[in-house]
Amino acid sequence: MKVRILVSFKDSVLDPQGQTVRNALHTLGYDAVQDLRQGKVFEVELAGVDRAAAEKLVPEMASKVLANPIIEKYTWSVIED
Amino acid sequence: MKVRILVSFKDSVLDPQGQTVRNALHTLGYDAVQDLRQGKVFEVELAGVDRAAAEKLVPEMASKVLANPIIEKYTWSVIED
Amino acid sequence: MKIGVVLFPGSNCDFDTIHAFKEVLGKPTVPLWHKDHDLQGVDAVILPGGFSYGDYLRSGAIARFSPLMQEVREFAAKGRPVLGICNGFQVLLELELLPGAMLRNKNLKFLCRHVSIKVENEKTRFTRKARKGQVLNIPIAHFDGNYYAPPETLKAIEDGGQVAFRYCEPDGSLSEASNVNGSLHSIAGLINKAGNVCGLMPHPERASEKILGSEDGRFILESLVESL
Amino acid sequence: MHDEKTLRQHNVTNEEYALIQSLIGHDPNLTELGIFSAMWSEHCSYKSSKVYLKQLPTRAKNVVQGPGENAGIIDIGDGQVVVFKIESHNHPSFIEPFQGAATGVGGILRDIFTMGARPIALMDSLRFGPLDNARNRSVMEGVVSGISSYGNSIGVPTVGGEVVFDECYSLNPLVNVFCLGLADKDKLFFAKTEDVGNAVLYVGAKTGRDGIHGASMASQEFGEDVEVKRPNVQVGDPFKEKLLLEACLEVMARRIIVGIQDMGAAGLTCSTTEMPAKSGQGVDIDLDQVPQREKGMTPYEILLSESQERMLIACRPDQVKAVQAAFAKWDLDAVEIGKVTGDGQLKCRFHGELVVDIPVGAVVDLCPAYHRPLAEPAKGNAAAADVAEPADLGGAFKALLSSPTIANKEWVYRQYDHMVLVNTMVLPGAGAAVLRIKGSKKALAMTLDGNGLYTQLEPRAGGKIAVAEACRNLACVGARPIGVTNCLNFGNPEKPGVMGQFKEAVEGMSEACRAFDIAVTGGNVSFYNETEGVPIFPTPVLGIVGLVEDTDTVVGPGFKDEGDRILLVGETKDELGGTEYLKVVHGREDGEAPSIDLARERAVHEVVLDAIESGWVKSAHDPSDGGLAVCAAECAFHSEGRLGCEIDLDGAGPAERTDARLFGESQSRILITASRENAVLIAGMAAERGVPASVVGKVGGDLIKFSRRGKAVVEIPVAAAREMWMSAIPDFFAKK
Ligand SMILES: Nc1ncnc2c1ncn2[C@@H]1O[C@H](COP(=O)(O)OP(=O)(O)O)[C@@H](O)[C@H]1O
Ligand SMILES: [Mg+2]
């Protein structure tokens, strides 16, 4: 099964990279862009894991390894069964 | 409206970051992880844009600015209307 | 006395650090392999600069899981000295041996240059050879040195005298310009509550010989050596 | 028999095809054709340049290895050698600036550590289009961050280089990267297999479909089909390369292998033919054993992939286990993919079938060398002399200080870790970088130099001046040149005009190297630097390495003490052709390149070197882009207290024009400072040797001041001038 984990800065943490991208888009005339935040995405292929197991495994990997809870938050979803 | 754009290396392109993270997860005993690819996610707040306009605007921004079509691909979706 | 420098895959200031302790200060110094579970009886552990595991996930994030880190945690818990330089500081943050986290430098670029840092707490085993407020000229070389901690943590750090070094002007004053990477409160180096774990972004090993332009890094390295 | 279209796609001419058939004794299958296409590409075979490169002086007492290996090697005494080389990564860096430049760094590093040397320094020579164009800025941003990301991560300092801007590089930027390594003379390694029966091991990253035919891409012009060629760019993995570096140096130090080569251009093909060819052997390779990143790869793809961070190793059968264990320590696999054979053939098997069977010698050594048609290059006009002197010379001076080619390059080198390995004594910013050699009194100096516009105006002079200027940069820090590498960036060699420029530039370089008694130990030729038929300026970039016997004697460019005398060694003539002044202030890129007398040039260096070694010199810097005025200003900017200077332009040679005295780029000049007493000694020594040298001014104050016939012609506070010089490049990026 395949899961997708999105990691991004907490709202309380400044995202200068996102701001730079937003500014670049503005310069190019994409004025509709109000706000932009940049994060990381991990697409993970898991073998021999069912939904129930994933519910336990993925949050553990995400909070222990993939995200730093001081500055980052994550969400995840199953994208392929 | 809010859209999410996921950018990652094309499948044929090496993803050193993803590989290193996968190896780290293996070392930690997460053997279920078969494969892992790392990419970027952009969450963009668009003002005064309806779905039809977004269908035109987002792919343009993504291919011109957010992704480098030589080595990267992208997908996108609306996450808030 | 024996000093140990940990070699992670991707460390690149490991041998510079060994050179500084061994050749410049003349102290017995050994490399410690990250896959081992053996601190070889050293009296101080140094986590050197570099790009452990390419810094691919986050700076220092993967190195934290190295086998040897188990021993380093225990060593630190016993009150023995651990010094993290640059990437080593980032590893200490990821290990939660020091509070907070690192963000990208404020200009979003790698930054290599000499900076002025001020000794904020001169009572530690890493700073005792310097005076309070003394300004040291030491180079930095990093991409992620923009120190961040949530407000409560930051307050505790300040109240507890845990700020070891701050970026400053050559005269010791603080300014936005001298805070080269955008760190909260211009923090360049921290110490834990117990006073035995220290992390800093500047590279004292690059400023320990006259031929390299500055010897100010010796205040830090010699303080540690003297405390052993 | 392949059709016309297949041959064109492979860049193989009908004559070359016929030659291939006769050399291998059968019609090549597609995989075999692919192998010849890559190995006989301009990039790998040097077929257009070989006949001229032969003229370069490649022998000298200190040469351990000249051209022909992955890098050149020079003996520096005490059992140590330096290993160095320069490579271009122009085409990939235009297509994908970050990854293109990053993998360029990765490639040149492998060339150095394959020889058993630990890389200790990188330099980069960069050419971009003007910064008022957003696309040029983004190319520059990408290239610089690519170099920084790879070099910083692997932990080799980028200690110097050059950045030049001109319209001709807008659609064809130049990215040349130099690397130098240090080794013990008795610990060197070479690309060979030695005996029949030896094992062939593959180590490093897995092979993917990336970069197939990169070598042929670098051997073609960019047309409108740039898009189609895009997948040729690879992603670099500096972390993997760091592991590879440490593991390779370890197996070499332990001598448990017999030969090694990196897989760069033409990938597995190049290493599996060159290594056995050097030992007069063949190899039998099982392609199924090659670690692959993707499913279903064909033999063609496996052999021609240019995936990065891979090496090929030959070792004795009894060493295989030990080698594998050594790589495992660094989390790398070493996979046995074949054996050395005695028949001189490259044999490749795939799913049990023989898919390649060709003589390695034919692939490696028998590519035809071409005497391509030449046309005499157009000569520069003498017209530059007719420009009017501007009334406001101060304004011209400011314009030059803010010209990105002249302006301070901190924006670039702050992004490079230039101090890691704790050897860098003279940091970026001076003309040459200086690195101490640990455990000795000696130091290494190194510099990259080249001037495309001079070479465009007069190719022979451009070649000579590039060598002279590089040596001059070394003299300024107190180093004597010991060896040369070079990267020749030119247009399409099938055009007689381009080939004519090439021939003359190489002849100029040869002559200058002979004048300095230094040998060329290798280099690189990058042709086809054209987009839609428009070539760049022919741009030879010289990388010259120098030696300092005693680190205590090293001097820098910054003024030292108030009251010191400023001496100009050499003289200023009425030479404005090809100058940055003519371009920036008058909008012209024409005229004749500055004249150069190589004997005089060397005599000037000798005077300065002897004065430095006598301890008489406090600072030294050479006037180049922007002339004497910019040179003196830079000495002020580099001084600790921001010391100013007063210079009297009357005493600096025969030039009539004041603008030529200020901004002209006459060669063979060095500006030095010394105490009043020592200035007299230096002038005396120069006079004895027939070298013009005169005191032209004094250090001090907070102004940069030039006067002519008793009247100040330029006068500006050091701080204000420095601000313009510092902010010019960052301002372009802030404006975005
Ligand atoms: N401009 C040059 N001057 C001197 N030698 C050169 C020059 N260009 C290439 N060479 C030498 O020719 C040889 C070509 O070998 P090869 O291995 O094909 O080069 P590369 O490793 O650059 O692909 C190398 O030894 C290289 O140093
Ligand atoms: Mg090579």
Side-chain angles (χ1 to χ4, degrees):
Chain A
M1 121 165 151
K2 203 162 172 182
V3 300
R4 174 181 293 152
I5 302 152
L6 298 175
V7 174
S8 61
F9 285 129
K10 289 180 175 169
D11 294 335
S12 55
V13 176
L14 223 60
D15 171 24
Q17 240 163 323
Q19 283 185 10
T20 307
V21 176
R22 194 199 55 184
N23 295 346
L25 288 167
H26 282 180
T27 320
L28 292 171
Y30 296 108
D31 296 321
V33 176
Q34 286 289 296
D35 195 20
L36 184 151
R37 288 185 75 84
Q38 183 175 338
K40 289 182 234 180
V41 51
F42 301 90
E43 294 198 348
V44 187
E45 181 76 52
L46 297 170
V49 172
D50 59 12
R51 282 220 174 218
E55 297 282 350
K56 217 184 131 278
L57 182 67
V58 177
E60 191 186 308
M61 290 194 319
S63 60
K64 246 177 96 174
V65 184
L66 303 181
N68 178 343
I70 300 174
I71 43 174
E72 293 169 325
K73 56 180 189 193
Y74 71 89
T75 59
W76 71 281
S77 58
V78 175
I79 51 173
E80 234 178 80
D81 255 319
Chain B
M1 121 168 155
K2 204 163 172 181
V3 300
R4 173 182 293 151
I5 302 151
L6 299 175
V7 176
S8 62
F9 283 134
K10 290 180 181 167
D11 293 335
S12 58
V13 173
L14 178 73
D15 172 21
Q17 313 212 23
Q19 283 197 3
T20 307
V21 175
R22 192 201 57 184
N23 294 346
L25 289 168
H26 283 179
T27 319
L28 291 172
Y30 295 110
D31 296 321
V33 176
Q34 285 289 296
D35 195 20
L36 183 152
R37 291 190 69 89
Q38 182 175 339
K40 288 182 252 181
V41 50
F42 300 91
E43 295 197 350
V44 187
E45 181 75 52
L46 296 170
V49 172
D50 59 12
R51 281 215 174 224
E55 296 283 351
K56 217 185 132 275
L57 183 66
V58 176
E60 193 185 308
M61 291 192 321
S63 59
K64 259 172 91 168
V65 183
L66 306 179
N68 180 346
I70 300 151
I71 46 176
E72 292 170 326
K73 57 178 190 188
Y74 71 89
T75 58
W76 70 281
S77 57
V78 175
I79 50 173
E80 236 177 77
D81 254 318
Chain C
M1 175 208 302
K2 188 157 82 174
I3 288 162
V5 177
V6 179
L7 272 55
F8 296 110
S11 293
N12 62 34
C13 305
D14 39 2
F15 286 94
D16 297 359
T17 309
I18 292 174
H19 171 83
F21 279 106
K22 196 167 167 180
E23 312 300 331
V24 182
L25 303 186
K27 304 298 169 202
T29 308
V30 293
L32 303 171
W33 185 238
H34 71 112
K35 281 185 193 167
D36 291 342
H37 280 287
D38 180 8
L39 290 180
Q40 299 182 33
V42 297
D43 299 290
V45 171
I46 319 289
L47 308 185
F51 286 71
S52 56
Y53 294 91
D55 276 355
Y56 280 161
L57 178 59
R58 288 182 308 277
S59 304
I62 300 180
R64 148 172 75 130
F65 298 113
S66 285
L68 189 70
M69 288 305 103
Q70 203 179 313
E71 281 69 29
V72 171
R73 269 180 205 280
E74 289 162 14
F75 186 80
K78 282 189 225 140
R80 321 269 326 258
V82 178
L83 173 65
I85 299 169
C86 196
N87 196 234
F89 185 12
Q90 293 161 340
V91 176
L92 289 174
L93 295 171
E94 287 280 340
L95 276 167
E96 295 176 49
L97 287 177
L98 289 172
M102 288 296 179
L103 302 171
R104 281 262 114 134
N105 294 344
K106 66 179 174 189
N107 68 347
L108 299 177
K109 293 203 167 10
F110 190 96
L111 201 51
C112 177
R113 52 171 288 195
H114 280 267
V115 296
S116 298
I117 58 169
K118 181 160 77 162
V119 178
E120 200 65 37
N121 182 343
E122 79 292 1
K123 302 208 179 70
T124 80
R125 65 189 305 162
F126 304 95
T127 53
R128 58 206 249 175
K129 292 204 68 168
R131 280 173 288 108
K132 183 170 178 67
Q134 185 171 345
V135 175
L136 308 178
N137 171 19
I138 300 187
I140 54 165
H142 59 245
F143 212 147
D144 303 298
N146 180 350
Y147 180 76
Y148 173 86
E152 331 74 73
T153 313
L154 200 57
K155 182 163 184 313
I157 291 169
E158 291 286 1
D159 292 349
Q162 284 180 248
V163 178
F165 308 99
R166 280 187 228 276
Y167 301 107
C168 66
E169 298 286 342
D171 68 3
S173 62
L174 303 185
S175 72
E176 198 177 321
S178 69
N179 186 17
V180 287
N181 51 25
S183 292
L184 286 178
H185 295 201
S186 295
I187 289 173
L190 285 179
I191 185 138
N192 67 345
K193 280 208 198 80
N196 65 312
V197 178
C198 176
L200 78 165
M201 289 313 291
H203 285 271
E205 80 281 8
R206 297 186 184 185
S208 57
E209 291 169 88
K210 195 151 165 270
I211 199 166
L212 302 176
S214 167
E215 294 182 282
D216 287 357
R218 292 176 71 145
F219 283 104
I220 299 167
L221 304 182
E222 286 175 359
S223 291
L224 170 61
V225 165
E226 206 183 79
S227 79
L228 297 177
Chain D
M1 181 69 210
H2 299 282
D3 58 19
E4 200 63 21
K5 184 159 161 255
T6 310
L7 293 189
R8 289 303 85 80
Q9 274 169 348
H10 284 83
N11 251 332
V12 170
T13 65
N14 294 345
E15 296 75 41
E16 286 169 348
Y17 188 74
L19 179 59
I20 293 167
Q21 284 174 313
S22 76
L23 286 173
I24 70 175
H26 60 263
D27 267 352
N29 62 34
L30 193 65
T31 306
E32 292 169 336
L33 181 66
I35 292 175
F36 276 97
S37 162
M39 293 297 291
W40 285 17
S41 69
E42 187 63 55
H43 183 79
C44 291
S45 73
Y46 295 87
K47 58 188 167 193
S48 304
S49 57
K50 264 196 249 192
V51 293
Y52 302 104
L53 295 180
K54 275 204 200 104
Q55 312 169 6
L56 292 166
T58 56
R59 273 175 234 262
K61 266 213 310 284
N62 63 0
V63 174
V64 176
Q65 175 67 54
E69 275 282 339
N70 285 307
I73 307 177
I74 293 282
D75 195 328
I76 57 166
D78 303 321
Q80 286 182 306
V81 296
V82 285
V83 178
F84 58 93
K85 169 97 185 277
I86 189 167
E87 276 280 359
S88 65
H89 237 218
N90 305 337
H91 291 83
S93 300
F94 181 55
I95 296 177
E96 215 302 305
F98 181 96
Q99 297 295 349
T103 51
V105 174
I108 191 69
L109 282 161
R110 284 193 297 280
D111 275 335
I112 302 308
F113 72 74
T114 345
M115 310 215 55
R118 178 170 285 276
I120 59 165
L122 290 163
M123 297 194 285
D124 58 333
S125 171
L126 309 177
R127 301 283 186 288
F128 302 110
L131 288 180
D132 52 11
N133 170 313
R135 173 152 193 195
N136 293 338
R137 285 197 300 272
S138 96
V139 170
M140 174 163 167
E141 194 139 38
V143 164
V144 171
S145 55
I147 293 171
S148 114
S149 112
Y150 210 105
N152 297 354
S153 175
I154 201 163
V156 178
T158 304
V159 298
E162 46 166 12
V163 194
V164 172
F165 301 89
D166 192 277
E167 190 54 55
C168 74
Y169 304 111
S170 267
L171 293 172
N172 200 313
L174 300 184
V175 176
N176 293 178
V177 189
F178 165 102
C179 182
L180 177 139
L182 189 62
D184 288 338
K185 192 173 177 179
D186 58 2
K187 302 255 164 64
L188 290 166
F189 265 86
F190 297 93
K192 56 182 183 180
T193 58
E194 288 188 355
D195 308 331
V196 175
N198 280 347
V200 177
L201 304 184
Y202 172 114
V203 298
K206 292 192 167 97
T207 298
R209 286 200 175 91
D210 43 358
I212 290 168
H213 275 316
S216 6
M217 169 177 78
S219 309
Q220 274 167 277
E221 294 177 35
F222 280 154
E224 278 150 18
D225 58 343
V226 172
E227 301 288 327
V228 187
K229 292 186 180 134
R230 285 183 159 172
N232 283 332
V233 175
Q234 303 101 19
V235 168
D237 184 353
F239 173 55
K240 171 111 348 127
E241 179 130 318
K242 169 74 172 164
L243 302 180
L244 208 49
L245 159 73
E246 297 300 340
C248 288
L249 289 179
E250 197 171 311
V251 295
M252 290 191 260
R254 289 169 53 199
R255 300 217 152 262
I256 52 177
I257 63 172
V258 301
I260 179 166
Q261 176 158 8
D262 66 299
M263 295 187 220
L268 194 55
T269 292
C270 182
S271 48
T272 52
T273 49
E274 287 186 358
M275 283 181 67
K278 287 236 173 70
S279 298
Q281 312 289 14
V283 288
D284 196 329
I285 301 290
D286 181 358
L287 295 177
D288 298 317
Q289 299 305 315
V290 173
Q292 291 159 45
R293 206 169 72 226
E294 294 176 67
K295 292 203 178 78
M297 289 185 70
T298 62
Y300 186 100
E301 290 169 329
I302 298 169
L303 280 161
L304 292 168
S305 159
E306 293 186 5
S307 289
Q308 300 288 298
E309 290 95 19
R310 304 178 300 160
M311 310 285 274
L312 198 73
I313 285 180
C315 68
R316 291 198 318 265
D318 61 341
Q319 294 171 321
V320 173
K321 283 240 148 54
V323 174
Q324 287 174 331
F327 278 90
K329 177 185 158 196
W330 294 97
D331 302 320
L332 295 167
D333 289 332
V335 182
E336 187 167 347
I337 60 166
K339 287 260 179 251
V340 178
T341 57
D343 60 6
Q345 295 285 113
L346 169 66
K347 288 201 171 92
C348 299
R349 291 163 208 279
F350 183 68
H351 297 352
E353 228 176 279
L354 189 63
V355 291
V356 172
D357 189 2
I358 50 179
V360 294
V363 178
V364 175
D365 298 318
L366 298 179
C367 174
Y370 292 129
H371 292 261
R372 298 213 187 261
L374 297 171
E376 179 105 354
K379 275 271 182 283
N381 54 355
D386 66 10
V387 296
E389 274 202 54
D392 180 12
L393 288 166
F397 180 54
K398 291 176 192 165
L400 281 170
L401 290 175
S402 326
S403 156
T405 295
I406 288 176
N408 176 282
K409 305 297 188 305
E410 251 189 43
W411 187 92
V412 175
Y413 62 75
R414 287 274 170 264
Q415 297 187 51
Y416 300 151
D417 188 337
H418 45 261
M419 305 184 206
V420 62
L421 303 183
V422 291
N423 296 318
T424 323
M425 292 174 60
V426 175
L427 302 178
V434 183
L435 277 75
R436 58 108 175 252
I437 300 173
K438 288 189 193 99
S440 86
K441 277 301 264 180
K442 292 188 293 199
L444 292 166
M446 59 200 81
T447 184
L448 294 181
D449 247 296
N451 188 313
L453 179 53
Y454 293 173
T455 315
Q456 168 78 6
L457 298 176
E458 260 183 271
R460 186 175 299 267
K464 285 189 209 172
I465 289 174
V467 174
E469 163 133 26
C471 291
R472 206 182 303 143
N473 287 339
L474 297 177
C476 287
V477 294
R480 288 173 199 272
I482 57 171
V484 181
T485 183
N486 69 99
C487 192
L488 303 171
N489 306 276
F490 283 72
N492 181 346
E494 295 154 44
K495 294 184 181 167
V498 169
M499 223 40 233
Q501 291 173 324
F502 186 82
K503 169 179 183 283
E504 299 237 333
V506 171
E507 285 172 2
M509 280 166 43
S510 303
E511 196 183 329
C513 289
R514 289 202 171 86
F516 281 96
D517 288 327
I518 37 176
V520 175
T521 64
N524 179 249
V525 179
S526 171
F527 277 130
Y528 299 97
N529 288 290
E530 310 203 349
T531 300
E532 281 159 32
V534 184
I536 57 161
F537 289 158
T539 311
V541 173
L542 273 288
I544 307 196
V545 179
L547 192 65
V548 178
E549 288 298 336
D550 180 354
T551 51
D552 291 339
T553 63
V554 170
V555 297
F559 289 143
K560 272 284 158 56
D561 297 298
E562 187 97 32
D564 280 345
R565 296 302 190 256
I566 302 173
L567 286 102
L568 182 72
V569 184
E571 53 186 0
T572 308
K573 301 176 200 148
D574 275 317
E575 293 177 315
L576 291 175
T579 60
E580 189 69 9
Y581 162 73
L582 206 60
K583 176 176 158 187
V584 170
V585 177
H586 299 280
R588 298 172 53 161
E589 295 189 293
D590 65 350
E592 289 171 318
S595 61
I596 174 151
D597 169 347
L598 293 166
R600 161 64 64 80
E601 181 78 44
R602 186 158 182 191
V604 165
H605 300 191
E606 291 298 333
V607 166
V608 171
L609 283 164
D610 289 346
I612 288 175
E613 281 163 8
S614 306
W616 296 339
V617 178
K618 293 203 193 172
S619 75
H621 194 36
D622 64 313
S624 62
D625 298 330
L628 185 64
V630 166
C631 172
E634 287 173 349
C635 298
F637 305 153
H638 282 295
S639 69
E640 223 156 84
R642 309 275 148 77
L643 289 164
C645 61
E646 259 183 61
I647 291 182
D648 177 357
L649 293 169
D650 296 337
E656 297 285 340
R657 301 177 58 124
T658 305
D659 57 354
R661 285 178 179 264
L662 282 165
F663 311 126
E665 297 175 11
S666 287
Q667 297 299 299
S668 320
R669 296 182 299 165
I670 296 180
L671 196 69
I672 59 180
T673 60
S675 67
R676 197 159 51 91
E677 303 76 39
N678 289 337
V680 175
L681 294 176
I682 296 168
M685 171 174 73
E688 264 171 41
R689 302 182 187 185
V691 172
S694 53
V695 172
V696 295
K698 218 164 58 181
V699 173
D702 48 17
L703 295 178
I704 297 171
K705 187 172 161 189
F706 298 97
S707 47
R708 184 90 205 267
R709 304 190 182 103
K711 230 180 76 216
V713 289
V714 172
E715 195 173 333
I716 173 171
V718 178
R722 184 171 182 276
E723 178 54 32
M724 289 172 206
W725 178 73
M726 289 298 295
S727 61
I729 291 178
D731 279 355
F732 276 107
F733 288 93
K735 260 184 230 150
K736 258 195 300 192

